[in-house]
Amino acid sequence: MVVLVATSAAAQGSNSDDLSNAFGNPTPIKVFEPEHNVPPPPVLEGADAKLRAGFERDFAAAKQRFEDGAAAEARDQLTMVELSAVALGGPERVRVVRLQRAVAQKLGDQAAIKEADGKWLGSCGPADVAACRSAALDAIAAYDAAFAKKVRAADECLAGAEQKAGQAPPGCLESALALYRKADDVLMVSRVELLRALVLAADRKQAKAARKALAKLGGLQDDRTALVRRTALETLSRIDLSEGQVDAAVNDALQASAAWALALPPERRPWARSPALDVACREYEKGKRAGACRQLEKNVLGDYVFHDYSDQHVEEGHLLSHDLLVAVNEHYNVLVQNCLAAEIRTLEHGEAFTYRVRWLVINDGRVDNFHSESTQQDQSRFVTCLRNQFGYWRYPSHEGDPQRIEQGFSVKSSTRTTEETER
């Protein structure tokens, strides 16, 4: 297996000679021009792709009818659109019910307004729940201030308890739970139950009860509970490891990553790697070949899942450090291995090629301006494969100029591969 190792990265335009520029006309500074030649990863939605496309088309049509003044026709269209939204998830349901509310207001239908507000409150999630519920409660408060105040108090109690997860919950949580159960709000009920499970998990004597409660939460099907499932499964993975059940720990951590992915927009899902997965994989690979956990990950999830290193930010005036480069390169190296393996399979016995490629890490941590130093190789199968896989890579974000990285590969049919990385 080839592991990419970068010793350093150079900032573009940083090699100017300051002394020579002190006299005469200064050398013009080359301005970075993005080429956008590294394509983003494909959005993999599976069976949902066709459903989502139909939803967007039908929702846009209903919205247009409303904007054209045909509110009654829009109302009828939204009845069918809502069915697709239920299958797709909370964000789509919220979009539909908010338009239903606007239609009801246009038609002066107070009963329909209240119905839409109730569905709005119960559709929030899996992400941005607090903001969504606050907006729905603002709407409800206009005609039922007492109810809105009661729900806000319950939500504040829950949010406060979540800040101290693992500790005994406050007494107000019981009344909050009763309110959520009365509303049949699966997400809010599961959040309370998660807090109870985490209290159990903090007590070694309650491990069996904690495992049962966490497994129940990890098996929830409502899409809005994705982040609850993630936390439950991550906690379950830690309990597994503490009890020496490594295989179970890896599986729970993989499912935690899958749950987290469902809480993200489709285009963000490749970067939903649970930190618990790294911990479990280190234990899993003890006594196994390197990369065994990555292979299991691909088998279970259907693809690899990554960390988004661009969430880290390098201070202005600093280059990406050697350690950061090594961490990023090792993390995404599995994608390079796929390109290398595919290239080796195409070579005749004894055949060999040398490739040298370069790329820029731009401010937001993405890769751009990826090229082979040989123009003849720039559109070759291997270089194209490398260019495409770099769409997944995310380096730490940084200020200033893009940072250049160069990489050399020797690909031989009779051996595996060798490589070198230089400044």
Side-chain angles (χ1 to χ4, degrees):
M1 180 178 71
V2 175
V3 177
L4 302 181
V5 179
T7 57
S8 62
Q12 179 175 311
S14 63
N15 295 326
S16 59
D17 186 336
D18 293 337
L19 182 60
S20 65
N21 287 338
F23 304 95
N25 295 325
T27 302
I29 297 175
K30 184 178 180 181
V31 178
F32 165 62
E33 295 182 3
E35 297 179 7
H36 306 294
N37 73 336
V38 176
V43 178
L44 302 176
E45 291 191 83
D48 283 350
K50 186 176 181 180
L51 178 63
R52 186 176 296 277
F55 166 80
E56 295 294 349
R57 180 189 63 245
D58 295 342
F59 180 81
K63 185 178 180 182
Q64 188 61 56
R65 295 302 295 155
F66 171 66
E67 291 174 350
D68 290 343
E73 293 180 22
R75 177 192 58 198
D76 295 339
Q77 285 180 299
L78 286 170
T79 300
M80 297 303 298
V81 177
E82 188 176 7
L83 296 177
S84 298
V86 169
L88 285 172
E92 287 71 29
R93 295 205 293 273
V94 170
R95 289 170 63 191
V96 170
V97 298
R98 293 192 70 165
L99 184 55
Q100 287 176 324
R101 188 185 201 282
V103 168
Q105 277 188 309
K106 187 72 172 179
L107 296 172
D109 189 337
Q110 293 300 315
I113 290 174
K114 293 181 179 180
E115 180 183 3
D117 288 340
K119 289 191 292 185
W120 181 0
L121 190 62
S123 296
C124 295
D128 302 320
V129 177
C132 176
R133 286 178 67 84
S134 179
L137 289 170
D138 284 345
I140 292 171
Y143 53 83
D144 194 343
F147 175 76
K149 183 178 180 180
K150 188 176 181 180
V151 176
R152 285 190 197 279
D155 289 2
E156 289 173 5
C157 174
L158 175 56
E162 288 174 332
Q163 294 296 315
K164 301 177 180 178
Q167 300 180 24
C172 61
L173 203 60
E174 286 301 320
S175 57
L177 178 59
L179 185 65
Y180 298 146
R181 281 178 171 162
K182 183 176 181 181
D184 196 24
D185 193 321
V186 176
L187 168 60
M188 304 305 283
V189 169
S190 70
R191 287 171 63 181
V192 176
E193 291 181 343
L194 175 62
L195 288 174
R196 290 175 166 178
L198 293 177
V199 172
L200 295 173
D203 183 352
R204 287 181 174 272
K205 297 179 181 179
Q206 298 291 335
K208 184 176 180 180
R211 182 181 290 279
K212 181 179 179 181
L214 293 166
K216 176 186 174 183
L217 291 167
L220 290 172
Q221 297 299 310
D222 191 306
D223 67 280
R224 298 186 306 127
T225 65
L227 294 177
V228 170
R229 298 206 307 274
R230 174 195 170 184
T231 301
L233 290 162
E234 287 177 334
T235 307
L236 198 55
S237 180
R238 288 194 290 272
I239 293 176
D240 292 333
L241 283 179
S242 70
E243 296 178 354
Q245 300 183 40
V246 178
D247 288 358
V250 174
N251 183 68
D252 286 332
L254 286 168
Q255 297 308 319
S257 293
W260 186 10
L262 291 177
L264 298 173
E267 67 275 9
R268 290 286 308 142
R269 290 176 183 173
W271 301 277
R273 187 176 185 85
S274 167
L277 182 54
D278 292 334
V279 176
C281 277
R282 282 195 291 271
E283 293 299 315
Y284 180 80
E285 291 193 347
K286 289 181 178 178
K288 296 184 175 65
R289 63 176 177 81
C293 200
R294 276 295 203 183
Q295 186 58 55
L296 178 65
E297 173 187 327
K298 182 72 177 289
N299 293 342
V300 173
L301 300 181
D303 211 339
Y304 302 112
V305 62
F306 302 103
H307 292 303
D308 185 350
Y309 286 90
S310 67
D311 289 338
Q312 302 178 37
H313 188 75
V314 177
E315 293 182 4
E316 187 172 0
H318 290 75
L319 295 177
L320 298 176
S321 71
H322 168 75
D323 289 344
L324 280 175
L325 289 172
V326 169
V328 174
N329 290 351
E330 289 183 349
H331 185 62
Y332 292 100
N333 181 56
V334 65
L335 298 174
V336 176
Q337 296 297 322
N338 290 343
C339 294
L340 288 166
E343 184 68 7
I344 290 171
R345 287 194 295 269
T346 67
L347 301 181
E348 299 293 336
H349 181 72
E351 191 176 10
F353 288 97
T354 298
Y355 298 87
R356 181 164 292 280
V357 296
R358 64 181 185 272
W359 62 91
L360 294 180
V361 179
I362 58 179
N363 295 136
D364 64 4
R366 298 171 191 260
V367 172
D368 197 3
N369 297 37
F370 179 92
H371 290 289
S372 168
E373 290 192 353
S374 166
T375 55
Q376 291 182 327
Q377 294 177 343
D378 202 46
Q379 298 304 318
S380 66
R381 177 179 52 249
F382 177 62
V383 173
T384 298
C385 181
L386 287 179
R387 181 180 291 115
N388 289 340
Q389 64 88 33
F390 269 111
Y392 289 91
W393 287 48
R394 296 291 183 270
Y395 288 89
S397 56
H398 62 277
E399 304 294 333
D401 293 326
Q403 298 187 31
R404 185 185 68 244
I405 299 177
E406 295 182 1
Q407 176 74 43
F409 298 92
S410 293
V411 185
K412 302 178 182 179
S413 64
S414 58
T415 62
R416 295 304 298 269
T417 55
T418 60
E419 57 78 33
E420 59 176 345
T421 301
E422 65 178 35
R423 183 167 179 160

